[in-house]
Amino acid sequence: MPSSSASIFQIGQTSSFTCTSPAGRLSARIIVPAQTSGEAPLLVLHGISRNARELTELFRPEAERTGRMIIVPHFSERDWPVFQRPTRKARPDQALLALLTAFEAAFPDQAGPVSLFGHSGGAQLAHRFAMLFPQRAADLHLAAAGWYCLPNETMAYPYGLADSASPRDLFWARRHGAGLRRFLDRPIHIYVGSRDTARDETLRQTPELDRLQGHTRLARARTYVQALRMAAAAEGCPPRIALRELPGCAHDVAWAIRRAGLARMVTTPAQTGLSSAA
Amino acid sequence: MTTALTSQLDSAKWSFSTRRVDRTQICDLDTRFAEARAGDLILAQVDQIGQHRRIQLPSGRPSDLFPGDLVVLACGARYAPDQFEGIAEIAPDGADMLAGGGCIGRMTARNERIKPATRLLPKGRLLGQNGVPVNLSQFALPDPARPSEIPVIAVLGTAMNSGKTLATAQLALGLRRAGWKTAAIKATGTGAFGDYNEYSDTGAHYVGDFTDAGMVTTYLEELPRIRNGIDRLLGEAQRRDCEIAVMEVADGLFQRETAQLIADPWFQSRISGLVFACGDAVAAAGGVAELARLGLAPDLLTGMLSCSPMASREAETATGIPVLRKSDLSDPAEANGFALQAGADWSRAA
C-alpha cells in the first residue's frame, strides 16, 4: 500500500493529503462534508492552470449540499510538468491509483468507484484513466477537453486506438482498449461551453486532429460524443452518454461553475437524465 | 508425549513445509520408516552437510545447519533438474535432504554441478493419537463446498528458472496496484519459502501454495490430488474475497505433473489467461507450438527472454504474441487490462 502522510481528517473541513507512488508524489485536498451520503466520492481534476485550490472552493458547497466527499488532487508544476495523460515518463494514472488507495484506507466506508470530473487537461486525464481502469469510475464528467482518445480505430494512439508507428504506443493502445466495453458501460457526461471555440496556443492543433476531431473544443466534444455513442452501440452497451453545451461559456471553468452551474450538474447527474449507478 | 520427545521436538528446527502442523497433536514417534509415505513428518538429525547448508523455517528465514541439529521435515519426492530427483523413501540408516524447504527422502539423481545431498539420520516418524502417523494432509486447507469462480491467470514456463516466479510476482504486484484483491498461488512444485516470500512481498491479498493443500511436493502425486489442491487454494482465495488469482505451475511443459495438468480439460477450462515464461526466442516458439498442440494459446510471453530487445523481437515475429518485461507486468495499466480481459469483477463496484 502506498504510504501517506494523512493527518486527522476533520468533519466539515478540507484537509490536505499527500501520498507517494512509483510515479511520484501527489497532494490532494479532501472536502469532508458535515454529513456524508452514500454517494460515490467525486474526484476533481484540474487543467493546465493547475487551479486545484480554486476548484476546491468552487466545489465545497456541492460537497455540503450533497454529502459527497470530494477529492481535488494538485499536480504541481515541479513534480508533474506533464500530467494530462499517461506517458512513458509521466504516470499520473499511477499517482491517482495510489491516491485512491490511500483515500480508501483512510475512509473504508467510501471504498469503491469514484465519480470522475476533469476540466480541460483534467478531462484529458479523466477519460484516459477511466479507459485504463473502468472499474474505478462510477461515472465520468468531462468538461472541455482539448482533444480525446477516440474509442475506435479512426486515429492512431494517442488520438484513438489504432496502431501507431511507435512500439510503445502499441502498448498504450492495447491498454486503453482492453476494458473498452466496461468503459462504455457507464454514464459519461460531456460538457463544453457554447463559446469554447478559440484556437489558442493551449489547443493542440494538427491537420489530422483538426480534420478528424474538429477545429475547436466545441466541435471536438461533439465528435467525441458521436464516437462514444457509436462505440457503445457496437459493444451492445445501453446509451448513457450526454452532451451538455453550456450557454455563454468559453473555456473558463470558474465561469462555467459560477454562471452555468457546472459543479451542480456534476454532483447531481440525475439532472442530465443519466444515472450514475454502474 | 514423553518429556524426552517434547524436549527433542522443542529443540528441533521445524521446516517451512511443516508450517501448518498443529504440534500439540503429536503424541509419539516410531521407527517404521519403511511404511513412511509422502507427507509424513520425520524427526531427523543432521549427519553430514552437503548441498543444503540451511533449512527454511516457518518464520520465513533460513537457519544454518550443523551436524547434530535436530530437524523436522516431511517425507517426499523431489523433481529439480538443476538439483536432485528423489523419491519418498526413508532408509533407517540415512536419508537425504531433498529440499531446503523441508523435504526428506532418497535421492535418485543429481545434477553434476551441485554437491551431494545433505545427509540426515532419521530418528523417528511422528505419530498422533492412536499411533497414526502425522501427515501434512491432515492440516490442509478445507475442501471447498463449491468450486471457486474467481478468474485465474496461469503462469507456465519452459523450465525451472525461466522466469515464472518473477512473472507471477510482478503480475500480482501490478494487479494489486490497480486495486484488485489478488491471490498469488503456486499450484505445483516442492515446498520452499522463496517463491512464497516473493509473492508475499508484492502485497498480494492471499498467498498460498500446494503445501497449504497438504502436499510437501506435487512430484509423483496423481492428477486428481493436484486438481483438488488447486481447488482448495482457489477456494481459500475466494473465501478471503480475492477477485483474481495468478497461479504459477512449476517446471517446464514436459515435466510429468505439469504436462498432465495443462492437458487436462478441467485446468484448461478453469484458466482465463495464460502467461508463458521462456529464455529465448526458440524456446518461445517451441513452447507456443507445444501449447497449441494442447489447445492453449498464451496471451503474452515473458521471462528471461524479455531482458533482450532482440530476442523479444524474434519471439514476437515467430509467435505473434507480445513480449512483456517485468516492469510491464507490474504496471497497473497493463495488469488491469489483463484482469478485465480475464473477466475479473471488482467486488467494490457500485
Side-chain angles (χ1 to χ4, degrees):
Chain A
M1 200 187 109
S3 61
S4 72
S5 57
S7 54
I8 297 170
F9 293 92
Q10 300 288 329
I11 291 171
Q13 292 190 8
T14 299
S15 305
S16 291
F17 183 60
T18 301
C19 75
T20 64
S21 77
R25 281 188 184 194
L26 181 61
S27 295
R29 294 179 177 85
I30 299 183
I31 309 169
V32 184
Q35 285 198 321
T36 54
S37 68
E39 296 217 44
L42 174 67
L43 184 66
V44 173
L45 300 176
H46 61 69
I48 57 171
S49 62
R50 302 177 194 268
N51 60 337
R53 183 185 297 272
E54 182 183 30
L55 286 171
T56 304
E57 294 310 313
L58 290 168
F59 272 89
R60 186 196 305 279
E62 292 305 315
E64 293 301 340
R65 187 181 66 81
T66 63
R68 296 177 80 164
M69 295 190 68
I70 297 183
I71 311 160
V72 190
H74 177 228
F75 290 94
S76 70
E77 191 143 19
R78 187 192 67 181
D79 294 334
W80 295 94
V82 175
F83 70 92
Q84 298 93 324
R85 64 185 175 94
T87 66
R88 192 174 172 185
K89 290 183 178 172
R91 296 300 302 272
D93 58 319
Q94 289 196 8
L96 288 179
L97 284 173
L99 185 72
L100 293 175
T101 301
F103 171 77
E104 290 185 350
F107 299 97
D109 60 330
Q110 297 285 320
V114 296
S115 283
L116 268 173
F117 168 79
H119 173 257
S120 193
Q124 180 77 240
L125 175 57
H127 83 283
R128 290 173 187 275
F129 182 83
M131 289 180 88
L132 292 171
F133 307 100
Q135 78 277 11
R136 307 300 299 253
D139 57 9
L140 197 55
H141 301 264
L142 308 176
W147 53 286
Y148 299 86
C149 180
L150 299 178
N152 57 44
E153 297 189 353
T154 56
M155 298 187 77
Y157 185 84
Y159 304 101
L161 297 176
D163 292 349
S164 83
S166 162
R168 294 311 297 177
D169 279 353
L170 285 177
F171 274 66
W172 282 111
R174 189 183 70 235
R175 291 167 176 176
H176 281 75
L180 186 61
R181 192 188 183 287
R182 295 209 200 181
F183 167 72
L184 295 165
D185 195 27
R186 61 209 59 244
I188 303 177
H189 307 259
I190 312 296
Y191 311 91
V192 65
S194 64
R195 293 171 52 206
D196 197 347
T197 52
R199 281 171 65 82
D200 54 37
E201 72 276 5
T202 64
L203 182 70
R204 182 178 286 222
Q205 300 171 38
T206 72
E208 191 184 21
L209 182 60
D210 288 346
R211 183 170 60 84
L212 292 171
Q213 292 199 15
H215 283 74
T216 67
R217 292 186 184 88
L218 178 61
R220 290 175 185 179
R222 290 171 178 166
T223 301
Y224 184 55
V225 165
Q226 191 174 15
L228 283 173
R229 287 179 174 150
M230 289 177 67
E235 293 284 348
C237 299
R240 295 198 286 175
I241 298 145
L243 173 64
R244 293 287 294 263
E245 296 186 6
L246 308 176
C249 293
H251 194 58
D252 184 336
V253 66
W255 177 280
I257 291 172
R258 290 194 180 103
R259 300 299 177 91
L262 176 58
R264 179 157 295 203
M265 292 178 200
V266 170
T267 53
T268 318
Q271 290 185 352
T272 63
L274 300 181
S275 163
S276 65
Chain B
M1 185 159 55
T2 66
T3 305
L5 180 56
T6 302
S7 174
Q8 288 185 88
L9 293 180
D10 285 348
S11 65
K13 294 175 176 176
W14 290 66
S15 60
F16 180 73
S17 65
T18 68
R19 67 189 183 282
R20 297 182 64 87
V21 172
D22 177 0
R23 298 180 195 180
T24 63
Q25 293 192 19
I26 296 163
C27 303
D28 203 352
L29 51 74
D30 71 13
T31 54
R32 294 156 71 176
F33 297 117
E35 296 175 19
R37 60 187 183 91
D40 285 353
L41 296 191
I42 307 294
L43 174 69
Q45 195 165 27
V46 177
D47 186 8
Q48 288 182 306
I49 301 293
Q51 173 63 21
H52 290 105
R53 307 178 66 84
R54 303 195 289 185
I55 187 170
Q56 298 177 359
L57 303 179
S59 64
R61 80 167 180 88
S63 173
D64 287 341
L65 288 174
F66 303 97
D69 281 355
L70 286 171
V71 291
V72 178
L73 308 92
C75 176
R78 179 88 202 268
Y79 176 94
D82 64 359
Q83 284 193 12
F84 306 118
E85 183 175 17
I87 56 175
E89 282 184 11
I90 308 292
D93 60 344
D96 297 308
M97 185 168 172
L98 297 176
C103 182
I104 181 173
R106 180 166 69 83
M107 186 194 75
T108 57
R110 170 168 65 94
N111 188 299
E112 284 184 1
R113 291 183 295 182
I114 67 160
K115 296 176 182 174
T118 291
R119 291 289 290 167
L120 304 171
L121 179 65
K123 305 295 284 186
R125 186 173 61 150
L126 303 187
L127 305 175
Q129 288 184 337
N130 305 322
V132 176
V134 176
N135 191 284
L136 291 185
S137 60
Q138 297 160 20
F139 307 97
L141 291 166
D143 215 344
R146 57 188 178 86
S148 73
E149 294 163 348
I150 57 175
V152 178
I153 297 174
V155 180
L156 306 176
T158 47
M160 283 184 82
N161 303 321
S162 56
K164 296 183 297 294
T165 300
L166 184 64
T168 304
Q170 293 294 306
L171 184 54
L173 176 61
L175 292 166
R176 194 266 292 163
R177 283 176 170 164
W180 297 96
K181 288 183 179 174
T182 305
I185 287 171
K186 188 154 187 191
T188 62
T190 298
F193 67 34
D195 296 356
Y196 191 97
N197 288 348
E198 196 167 332
Y199 297 170
S200 298
D201 289 346
T202 67
H205 195 68
Y206 170 69
V207 174
D209 71 7
F210 46 87
T211 61
D212 291 304
M215 294 173 275
V216 63
T217 176
T218 52
Y219 184 41
L220 301 178
E221 292 288 352
E222 293 305 314
L223 184 59
R225 185 160 189 219
I226 294 172
R227 268 200 308 240
N228 178 260
I230 293 171
D231 260 342
R232 289 173 189 245
L233 289 162
L234 292 174
E236 181 66 7
Q238 183 156 310
R239 192 185 70 77
R240 297 193 191 204
D241 297 327
C242 288
E243 295 151 331
I244 189 165
V246 188
M247 186 172 76
E248 177 181 353
V249 180
D251 303 306
L253 301 183
F254 299 138
Q255 194 274 340
R256 177 181 181 269
E257 288 76 28
T258 298
Q260 291 176 356
L261 190 61
I262 63 178
D264 183 46
W266 172 84
F267 178 81
Q268 294 194 3
S269 66
R270 189 62 191 81
I271 63 173
S272 309
L274 179 56
V275 175
F276 186 59
C278 40
D280 57 51
V282 174
V288 169
E290 173 63 10
L291 289 169
R293 190 183 67 79
L294 298 169
L296 291 168
D299 296 287
L300 58 93
L301 306 176
T302 188
M304 297 299 289
L305 163 83
S306 65
C307 298
S308 163
M310 288 168 285
S312 297
R313 276 198 300 273
E314 287 178 9
E316 285 177 337
T317 302
T319 65
I321 298 170
V323 176
L324 268 62
R325 301 165 303 179
K326 67 176 182 179
S327 58
D328 298 318
L329 295 172
S330 64
D331 188 316
E334 189 70 43
N336 199 63
F338 205 2
L340 294 174
Q341 292 193 326
D345 271 324
W346 209 44
S347 60
R348 286 149 286 174

